[in-house]
Amino acid sequence: MSTRDDVLSALRDSGDAGVSGQVVADGLGISRVAVSKHVAALRRAGYEIDAHAGHGYRLIASPALPIPTEVAPLLHDPFWARVEGAEVTGSTNDDARTLAEKGAPEGTVVIAARQTAGRGRFGRTWESPAGGMYASVVLRPQCALSELAPVPLVIAVGVADGLASLGAQPQLKWPNDVLLGGRKVAGVLLEMSGQPDHAEWLVAGIGVNIASEGSVVPEDAGAFTAQLGEVRPAEVAAVILDSIAAAYRQWVVSGFSAAANRFAELDALAGSELAVRDLTGAVVATGVAAGIDDAGRLLLRAASGGVQRIASGEVTLRS
Ligand code: BT5
C-alpha cells in the first residue's frame, strides 16, 4: 500500500465523523502538508472529500471506477501481493511487463479504468474506453514454456467463473474469448519471457467490458452490467481477479483438468461447424468443434471422421 492508500484508508475508517489532517499525519508519520497533497491527489482521482476547519477531512463519495484504490480493499485472495495502476494508462500489460522485468513478485496486478494503447493478440487493438476493467497480472509458474499452452484458457475460465458468481451466464470461445449473450465481453492476452525449460515471468492481461453509469462499451461488444448501488464496477473487478487467482492456483497445484472440464461446460463452439484461419486470413482447417484436449488445443472433427488438433488460429462459425 502506498501512503496515498493509507491516507484514503484513514478517511474511510473515520466515516461521517471525519478526521483531522494532524491525526492522519501523526498516524502515518508524515507532515500535514503531505496529507493535504495526498488529499488533493485523491480529489483529482475522483474522490469527493470535504475539508472543514475544526472537523478535518471527510470522505463524501468514491469514484465508481475499477481503479487500484477502489479494487485493492475488495480483494480477498492472499495470492495478490501488490496492486498497482492508475485511472488511465497506455497498456496495463506494458506496465506489468516492466514490473515483472524488475522482479515484481507473482500476484502483482496492474489495473486501470481506461487505456490509451490497449492491445489484443497479434498487435490488434483492444478498445479500452472509460469504466471497463483493464488488468494485467504477473505470474511466475515453475515450469517450461511449453507447458504454458493452457494458461490463457485457465485465465478465461477464471474470468467466466467470476462473471458467473455475479449472476451472469458467460460462455467461452476458444481460445481466449469470454462471451455474454453471444458477444465478446472479455479477452485474455498472455505475454511471457524465459528459457525453453524455464518460464521467468508471464503477464496475463484481461480486458472486461463493464456497463455502468459513466462507462462506455465498444459497439457490438458484450458487457457485464454493473448497477450502481447493487454491484459496483470495482467489486466486479475484484471478484473477477479473485476468481482468476483461484483458477490459476488450481492449475499450478492440480494441472489443467478442472479448468478443462469447466471450459467444456461453457464451450460456445461445441458441435458447431467451424473454419480456422491463420494470421493472413487463409482458412487452414474446417470441421465440427469437438471440445479441447488436455493441452488446451481445439479439437476439430473433419467430415472424414478424423480429428485435428489446433494449437492456434482464429475461429469463425461457418454458415
Ligand atoms: C484479446 O485479443 O481478446 C485480448 C484482449 C486483452 C486486453 C487486455 S486489457 C488489459 C491488458 N492490457 C492490454 O493492453 N491488453 C490486455 P484478440 O483475441 O486479439 O481480440 C482482439 C479483437 O477483439 C479485436 O480485433 C476486436 O475485433 C475485438 N475487440 C477489441 N476491443 C474489444 C472490446 N473492448 N470488447 C470486445 N471486443 C473487442
Side-chain angles (χ1 to χ4, degrees), residues 130-219:
M133 167 187 173
Y134 311 104
S136 298
V137 179
V138 176
L139 306 171
R140 295 188 183 276
Q142 302 293 309
C143 65
L145 288 179
S146 59
E147 294 172 75
L148 298 176
V151 175
L153 285 73
V154 170
I155 303 295
V157 162
V159 175
D161 279 344
L163 290 170
S165 74
L166 291 165
Q169 286 165 337
Q171 285 190 298
L172 292 167
K173 176 177 174 240
W174 186 89
N176 70 328
D177 291 0
V178 185
L179 311 179
L180 273 187
R183 292 175 181 213
K184 183 161 173 173
V185 63
V188 176
L189 171 67
L190 208 72
E191 297 179 315
M192 62 197 75
S193 170
Q195 312 301 322
D197 60 344
H198 169 67
E200 196 185 326
W201 55 256
L202 262 73
V203 166
I206 304 108
V208 185
N209 301 320
I210 300 178
S212 76
E213 208 176 295
S215 80
V216 179
V217 174
E219 221 172 297

Side-chain angles (χ1 to χ4, degrees), residues 91-93 115 118-121 124-127 184 187 209 218:
S91 157
T92 56
N93 257 47
Q115 294 184 124
R119 292 187 275 113
R121 296 175 306 144
R124 288 189 287 237
T125 298
W126 184 257
E127 290 181 53
K184 183 161 173 173
N209 301 320

